[in-house]
Amino acid sequence: STSGSSASARLLASEASGSASDAGVQSSDLPLEIRVAIFICRCFVYVCSMGQWMFYHVKYSLKDFRSNSVIRYGRCKIPEYLCQWQGMSSLLLTFFLLSMFCMEPIVHCLANDGG
């Protein structure tokens, strides 16, 4: 579907702009305005992009499991929507976003009171 491919293109564009913002520059060397802008862009990427994709995959996984639209792969049941390349590639992008979020320095700094 074209909406799935355009959503994937938007996700790739947002990821490219986010990763280009901090390429090789120490954040402590940047002015406060730039650091705030980077923080806002990262929040947008994680909340809007990752949140949208996680909601999408939970919704369609539950829909397929409830209607028993699953494919058996050995002993595992896989939702049928993941058998199309768009579903599988968007799930892969969601996993990459989730792993990026887990390694995000801002998240690790939140645990430190001195921040």
Side-chain angles (χ1 to χ4, degrees):
S1 83
T2 52
S3 65
S5 61
S6 66
S8 296
R10 282 193 310 258
L11 178 66
L12 289 174
S14 67
E15 285 304 310
S17 65
S19 61
S21 65
D22 58 349
V25 177
Q26 293 292 328
S27 62
S28 60
D29 297 340
L30 297 173
L32 179 63
E33 296 83 11
I34 300 295
R35 289 186 289 169
V36 168
I38 290 171
F39 175 76
I40 290 170
C41 290
R42 287 179 176 174
C43 287
F44 175 79
V45 167
Y46 291 125
V47 171
C48 295
S49 294
M50 186 176 70
Q52 171 207 353
W53 283 116
M54 290 182 75
F55 177 77
Y56 172 86
H57 288 292
V58 168
K59 175 183 168 184
Y60 282 99
S61 293
L62 289 175
K63 179 182 164 198
D64 281 353
F65 280 117
R66 287 180 180 156
S67 67
N68 206 21
S69 298
V70 294
I71 304 295
R72 287 200 162 273
Y73 186 75
R75 297 179 69 184
C76 297
K77 292 181 180 179
I78 300 172
E80 202 169 73
Y81 83 96
L82 290 176
C83 294
Q84 299 173 354
W85 72 270
Q86 294 97 337
M88 185 57 80
S89 63
S90 67
L91 181 65
L92 187 62
L93 287 171
T94 304
F95 283 138
F96 284 138
L97 275 172
L98 190 60
S99 65
M100 285 172 52
F101 179 73
C102 291
M103 294 183 281
E104 182 64 50
I106 294 172
V107 174
H108 296 284
C109 290
L110 289 176
N112 183 1
D113 288 334

